[in-house]
Amino acid sequence: MAETVKRTETAETLAMAEMLRTAKAPETAKTSGMAEILDSPETVHKMMTGAFMMNEYGAVTPVAYQRILMTVAELDLYERKLDVPHMMKRMGVSWVLLALSVRVQSPPCPGEMLSVGTWMSGREGMIFRRETKICHEDGSLSAAAASFSGILDIESRRMCRDAVALDVVSRQVAFREERLLSADSRCYPDREQFQEVGDMRVLPSWIDELGHVNNSHYGEIAYDILPQTEHGRFCDLDRMEIYFLGELRKDETVALSLRQEPRQVEILGQRKRDGKDAFLARFLFGK
């Protein structure tokens, strides 16, 4: 979740492109039975739901959906040697999540063994799109999701725009063009439509290996700032969207504002240090 900054063909950019061009998955990937996985666009994983995913009303929480998506994406990328630890070590870059959308068809039940399939569905410029399909034990659809990611240069904290470097990553991904829902990678909130409701301090436990708040905690922040009366509405969650607009770092304070309508609620987070938008979370209820 870094601010997008236009990059020029500097020595730094060319060096990163060269690292990406020359980076190769270990030879053991092809000799250990992984060739079929690497060539297949979709990977499918089993995941058990638990009480920790539900609130007191029996509703699946936003962070539960986020963690399902995050877990299967990381497993898929690991099998392709494109997971964050590999990319940080070999290339000095990392994936960063820019936006996600989840459409709920039928929420998971506690103690259910879900089948979760995921694949990369395309790339537009510097943005990669991923689809995730969550299915019940009987094979019926529980939820469908789309997420958008970019590649962050760890040292400069800037998004990679180098076409050569991005093409190298694309060649290591098996794309499948099927898309599960209509979704956007960016949003532009109208601040005047929101009412301030309070501040929240970034906790040390939210900080991940990249030195910023991990994307999974933004759903928690949005959920926690809502009035208690709103939590029961998540039993009827139809869609959730989270847009990651700017990094939140250690010891920062985020100002939170709320916008409510009959069928939807939006939470806008802004960094206190510079007033810039950090995230927008949108929840739609009812079918």
Side-chain angles (χ1 to χ4, degrees):
M1 291 148 288
E3 298 164 39
T4 302
V5 180
K6 187 174 182 179
R7 305 198 64 181
T8 58
E9 285 293 299
T10 61
E12 176 185 323
T13 305
L14 294 172
M16 183 173 67
E18 181 63 22
M19 282 191 292
L20 286 164
R21 274 197 297 269
T22 57
K24 296 180 180 179
E27 292 299 322
T28 53
K30 290 289 184 179
T31 59
S32 63
M34 288 184 62
E36 183 177 349
I37 294 176
L38 293 172
D39 293 337
S40 173
E42 182 180 8
T43 57
V44 180
H45 307 273
K46 296 293 185 180
M47 186 171 297
M48 176 74 76
T49 61
F52 67 94
M53 293 182 172
M54 316 289 174
N55 66 13
E56 66 271 39
Y57 301 97
V60 179
T61 61
V63 70
Y65 285 113
Q66 281 188 266
R67 288 176 177 166
I68 290 173
L69 303 186
M70 180 176 65
T71 299
V72 297
E74 288 178 346
L75 289 170
D76 179 64
L77 292 170
Y78 175 79
E79 290 168 348
R80 304 177 194 281
K81 304 303 178 187
L82 285 173
D83 56 293
V84 170
H86 273 94
M87 292 183 72
M88 289 180 66
K89 182 177 180 180
R90 294 158 49 213
M91 312 172 197
V93 299
S94 172
W95 294 103
V96 286
L97 190 61
L98 303 175
L100 65 85
S101 296
V102 180
R103 187 186 65 229
V104 181
Q105 180 72 26
S106 170
C109 300
E112 184 176 20
M113 182 62 74
L114 301 173
S115 178
V116 188
T118 186
W119 63 91
M120 286 279 202
S121 58
R123 177 191 139 209
E124 295 182 9
M126 68 174 188
I127 299 176
F128 293 79
R129 174 168 170 153
R130 172 179 292 277
E131 314 296 314
T132 304
K133 181 168 60 176
I134 305 172
C135 293
H136 292 291
E137 289 182 343
D138 63 5
S140 62
L141 181 66
S142 173
S147 57
F148 300 86
S149 300
I151 297 176
L152 175 72
D153 182 327
I154 302 299
E155 186 174 351
S156 69
R157 312 301 294 186
R158 295 179 176 182
M159 300 299 296
C160 173
R161 288 179 175 267
D162 182 83
V164 175
L166 293 167
D167 286 344
V168 171
V169 174
S170 295
R171 287 197 295 270
Q172 293 183 242
V173 174
F175 289 107
R176 170 178 161 186
E177 294 184 359
E178 179 187 359
R179 296 189 174 184
L180 298 174
L181 69 161
S182 175
D184 296 317
S185 61
R186 301 295 284 172
C187 77
Y188 303 93
D190 182 358
R191 298 183 181 184
E192 294 183 359
Q193 300 295 318
F194 290 81
Q195 181 178 358
E196 293 185 14
V197 290
D199 296 344
M200 192 173 291
R201 187 81 170 174
V202 169
L203 299 177
S205 60
W206 296 352
I207 304 299
D208 63 16
E209 189 176 9
L210 300 180
H212 62 202
V213 173
N214 186 266
N215 68 76
S216 65
H217 292 291
Y218 287 81
E220 288 182 339
I221 296 171
Y223 181 83
D224 288 343
I225 203 65
L226 289 174
Q228 183 73 25
T229 53
E230 293 288 324
H231 293 173
R233 298 184 71 189
F234 282 86
C235 293
D236 296 318
L237 181 66
D238 179 41
R239 185 172 177 128
M240 63 175 269
E241 301 171 359
I242 303 179
Y243 299 91
F244 307 96
L245 307 176
E247 283 188 307
L248 285 175
R249 308 295 292 273
K250 187 178 180 180
D251 295 327
E252 282 206 269
T253 299
V254 57
L256 297 164
S257 301
L258 193 64
R259 177 173 178 262
Q260 291 179 288
E261 296 182 0
R263 275 200 62 213
Q264 96 176 21
V265 60
E266 294 181 322
I267 302 92
L268 176 65
Q270 296 170 284
R271 297 189 302 227
K272 294 283 284 189
R273 62 180 164 90
D274 59 11
K276 292 185 177 181
D277 295 339
F279 74 93
L280 176 77
R282 178 182 296 133
F283 303 111
L284 286 85
F285 304 100
K287 302 297 182 184

